[in-house]
Structure formats: C-alpha cells, structure tokens
Amino acid sequence: MTFNLPIIPPRQVTGLAGQGASRGGGIEIPIYYPATGQQISTLIEDGSAAVAQAVAIARDAFDKGPWPHLSVEKRMEVLEACRTKILENVDELARLECAATGLVLKELKARHMVRAAYNFRFFAEYISQSKGEAYTQTDNYITTVTRRPVGVAALIAPWNAPVALATMKIAAALAFGNTCVLKPSEQTPLSLARLVALLNDVLPEGVLNLVNGRGPVTGAALVANPDVDLISFTGGTETGRAIMSAAGQNLVPTTMELGGKSANIIFASADIERALDGALQGIFSNNGQQCLAGSRILVERSMFDEFTARFAERAKRIKVGDPLDDATEVGPLASAPHMNRVLSFANMAREDGGSVLTGGTRRDDLGGGYFIEPTAVLATSNADRCAQEEIFGPFATFLPFDDIEDAVSIANDTQFGLVSYIWSYHLPTVMQTQTHLRSGVVWVNTPMMRELRAPFGGFKSSGVGREGGASCERFYTEEVTTSTPIKPVQLRRFGAET
Ligand code: NAD
C-alpha cells in the first residue's frame, strides 16, 4: 500500500534567525513522512554559533526595538494580522504538519490550525483587558504595580502538535511584549518553519526567531544562553528536568508542561454510552499522542467486564490509515523508534501478568508507515509498567476499582498529575472524587475541553507553572512597583547639620 504525500515539502529546512544571520552549522537531520517511512526533507541543524546569533537578534529587538513599548492597540493589530496569516494559510500549514507528524489532515485543518489562529486573537483580547494595581494606604503616597515584558523568551516545542502548542507560547510571549526564539522538535520542523516565515511578514524585524536542531545541541545552547530571560517548555519530563537545571544556572523563570498518565475514572453512575465515547476519544485522538490522553481507564468493578469488552469491540473497528483520507480516525505514529516503543508495552503488559484485549501489533498491511492497531490492555495492578509509564500512543490500560477511595488512590498513584476525567451523574461522587484528585485539570463528563482563560498544567512530574490567560500574564511579565509621593514628604537630612 502507498500513500500520497500531503504536500511536496521544501528540500531543506533551516532556522530563520532574522535578517543577516548565518544559519545551520550543524549536521543534517532526515525528516520522514510517518505514513510511508520515506524521507521527505532534510533539516540543517543550528549549531551553537547560529543559536547565539538568533538570541542576539532577539535581544537587540527587545532592548532597542519598538516591540516592548508599542501601545496595546498597535500590538493587538499585529496579533490580529498574525491570526489572519494563519487563517489564510491553513491548508499549507496543515499539510506541512501532516507531512512530518502523520496527524490526520482533516483534524489539523479543523482543529489545530483554527486553534493556532485563535491563540493570537485570545491574547490580543486579553491584553486589552489587562489591569494594574494601585495602593494609597498612606496619605502621602500612591504605589502602583505595573507589568513589563520580561525580555527574550526561549520557546521549546514538542512534536505531537507543533503549531497548536507553539502558537500558545508565541502568541502569549509576543502579546506581553517579549521577543522570542522558538525551537521546534527536530522531528517536526516543517510547519513551524513556514509559520515563522509567514508571521515575520507582519511582525517587526527580529521579534520572532527560529532555531532548529536536536535538543541536546540546539536546545541546550538556547537554554544556556545568558541573554535568554525566560524559558517556556513543553515536552517530556526528563527533558524538563535537564532544562530546569540549565535555567537554574542563569536564574531564569521556566514553565514546564510535561508528560502525563491521566486517569479516566468511569463510575457505574455514569451515562455509559457517553463514557464509552469519551474514553475512546480520550485515548485515540491525535493518534494517541497527547499529554492529556486518558491513558489509564479506571472502571467500577461491577461493570468492568462489559465496559472493557465494548471498548475493545469499538477499538477494533477504528479506521487506521491514510492521514489524507477524511474517514481515517487514527493515522501513523510519529516515528519508527516511537512506534517500536509503544508496541513494546504490549509485551510488557503480558510480562507483568496482564493481557492484551485488542491490538498490540503493527499494521504491516499498510506498507512501510508507522501504523499500529489501536490497543487496549488489562493490567494486573497499577504498579504494572503499562499503568505507570507514559506510552504516548493509541494504547489504553484498564484497571478496575471498587469505590471512590479506591479510584482516587489508583488515580493518584503515579509520578504524573496532569489531568483527570470523571464520568458520573451522581454529584456527591463527582465532588468527592474531584476534591481528592492530584491533577491540574479535572474534566467531568466530557473529554478534553480547553478554556484558554483558565490555567492548564500539572502537579508532580507533569509540570511546573501553568499556561492560560492570567497564568501567562504572570509568567511573561515582570511586576514593577513604583511609589510616588503626592506632596513633598519629610526626608531625613543626613549630613545637613553643621
Ligand atoms: P522531548 O522532551 O523529547 O522534546 C521536546 C522538545 O525539547 C524538543 O524540541 C526537543 O528537541 C527539546 N529538547 C530535548 N532535550 C533538550 C535539552 N537538553 N535542552 C533543550 N531542549 C531540549 O518531548 P517530545 O518527545 O518532543 O514530546 C512528547 C512529550 O511532550 C510527552 O511526554 C508529552 O506528554 C509532552 N507534552 C506535554 C504537553 C503539556 O501541555 N503538558 C503537551 C504536549 C506534549
């Protein structure tokens, strides 16, 4: 079986570190189309000199450029222009993203790119509402607290939803007056390279820069650069640890949006049809590669067998295949090593005493692409590796529970704490469960629903800090306290006595 390419991508992808900057200097990294396994492009890595140059350009644009000092109205206009650029180029951006990630094109166009455009509108509207503080506790002083941009923002993105995730960071950083250096994942640089070029048509020179390459090379050079003032990172937990250590050397603030192993808790008091749809959507959306996947499905024991059987039956019928086909529900995984890692968890589940309900094998009939069958396993306990480790694929792990206490105890028994899902129409059950869950977000009777005004982020190894309206404002700005006397105040007159 062969699949057409979504687009003919550029032969080479390089960083875009402003005008006059040298590019590359590092190795060539092949980019593959996950649906076929064929090489479709080559990334030229930015070495430390190119990264230093990109940061210097962003520094200059911050220190000397107009961007941090533009009026809110002017900045809103530019953010709106960014939104328009994305909306005018949805098809091309979605196809480039599909080419490197294997995500289903229809989903990319309908959800990811629309959301990417909205990220700019959201922050444009947000800054129009931003408030400061003023204190007048004493008769003689007014003290104000205002917010200023922090400076040069290093934005580091993962491969699983490059444009949607990176635009959250770019839009927020720019809206609050910072300049940026973006580093996409070396696996999926195509769509973000095009996006940065498009946005640079409407942004002032040097405000948004792009460096490309591997994490330990290009990424490490970026986060260690003393001219970087803040780091916003989305990616794996181990990488987050490395970046926070590096950030500690320069004492720069970080936000860490990291991995998850989220519990999807289904009580017998749920609307079972909706819970079944929600559980399938929660683990198989985005080809199963999402931080907020409901990857541990905890089902009340009284209906465990029936629920898992029905889930497996539906999972078997999921349409796996060509990302360009509108009927496709799950496309290929992002890379060959990732596919092999995901599949290895089916064997681990068996070795740990569990069983494979459905899936667990590669779809060889679909050619050389990285397709696997949507998979569901029964774990023997929450200590099993398939219940503890983030698998990051279309792979659900089931466990039964007896009551609220049991469900909460299993849900919390993990290093992660990103999101949780609760399915029940019994209000006390929902509230008691919600109160005890240790995760940053709880969704009740719904799959993922992102409210951009509300904080998003994790407990424990799922992250540090939050993204979302006010959380982003706090992160991307510094508070400045200014005290001014209303009328001349009595001063101590050192040295005035003769
Ligand atoms: P990753 O940690 O391997 O890479 C993420 C980014 O960090 C890439 O750009 C990579 O090149 C860079 N990087 C790697 N090492 C670095 C270093 N030492 N210094 C600087 N940069 C470095 O993650 P991934 O495999 O691309 O993405 C999958 C992970 O991302 C999963 O764990 C997933 O849960 C997580 N994720 C979290 C969220 C969230 O909002 N919490 C959202 C999406 C993905």
Side-chain angles (χ1 to χ4, degrees), residues 155-161 165 169 183-188 213-223 231 233-240 242-243 246 256-260 289-292 338 390 392 416 418 450 456-458 462-463 467:
L155 311 176
I156 302 179
W159 51 257
N160 65 314
L165 294 171
K169 297 183 190 301
K183 196 204 87 63
S185 165
E186 59 275 29
Q187 277 184 59
T188 57
R214 291 164 295 169
V217 178
T218 312
L222 178 60
V223 298
I231 300 168
F233 172 71
T234 299
T237 296
E238 282 314 312
T239 312
I243 292 177
M256 296 280 139
E257 298 284 337
L258 308 178
Q289 300 165 151
Q290 21 179 25
C291 56
L292 44 75
H338 182 55
E390 186 184 40
F392 216 59
F416 298 110
L418 190 57
R450 185 87 184 260
F456 179 89
S462 284
E467 283 191 341

Side-chain angles (χ1 to χ4, degrees), residues 205-259:
E205 172 68 25
V207 163
L208 175 59
N209 303 277
L210 176 75
V211 293
N212 271 312
R214 291 164 295 169
V217 178
T218 312
L222 178 60
V223 298
N225 191 304
D227 271 333
V228 164
D229 296 306
L230 64 83
I231 300 168
S232 173
F233 172 71
T234 299
T237 296
E238 282 314 312
T239 312
R241 287 200 174 96
I243 292 177
M244 274 192 90
S245 302
Q249 295 306 307
N250 294 335
L251 288 178
V252 297
T254 59
T255 50
M256 296 280 139
E257 298 284 337
L258 308 178

Side-chain angles (χ1 to χ4, degrees), residues 6-10 85-100 105 108-109 113 163 190-195 197-198 201:
I7 193 167
I8 306 296
K85 273 280 171 194
I86 295 175
L87 291 177
E88 285 170 354
N89 294 279
V90 162
D91 187 67
E92 185 191 4
L93 289 168
R95 284 176 185 277
L96 286 167
E97 183 125 316
C98 177
L105 184 64
L108 285 170
K109 284 190 197 178
M113 298 308 148
V163 169
L190 301 179
S191 49
L192 286 174
R194 183 69 186 128
L195 177 84
L198 287 168
D201 286 347

Side-chain angles (χ1 to χ4, degrees), residues 299-370:
V299 184
E300 195 160 344
R301 198 178 297 277
S302 61
M303 56 164 202
F304 187 76
D305 292 344
E306 187 198 336
F307 191 92
T308 50
R310 290 189 61 195
F311 183 98
E313 185 195 311
R314 287 271 298 274
K316 280 192 184 91
R317 295 211 302 264
I318 288 175
K319 292 183 187 65
V320 176
D322 186 354
L324 304 187
D325 183 344
D326 281 358
T328 296
E329 294 173 295
V330 172
L333 295 186
S335 69
H338 182 55
M339 173 186 67
N340 293 331
R341 181 178 176 276
V342 171
L343 287 174
S344 72
F345 278 92
N347 281 337
M348 283 186 223
R350 291 188 194 98
E351 284 164 14
D352 291 346
S355 58
V356 176
L357 269 175
T358 186
T361 51
R362 187 174 181 177
R363 285 286 302 269
D364 290 321
D365 59 313
L366 294 177
Y370 316 134

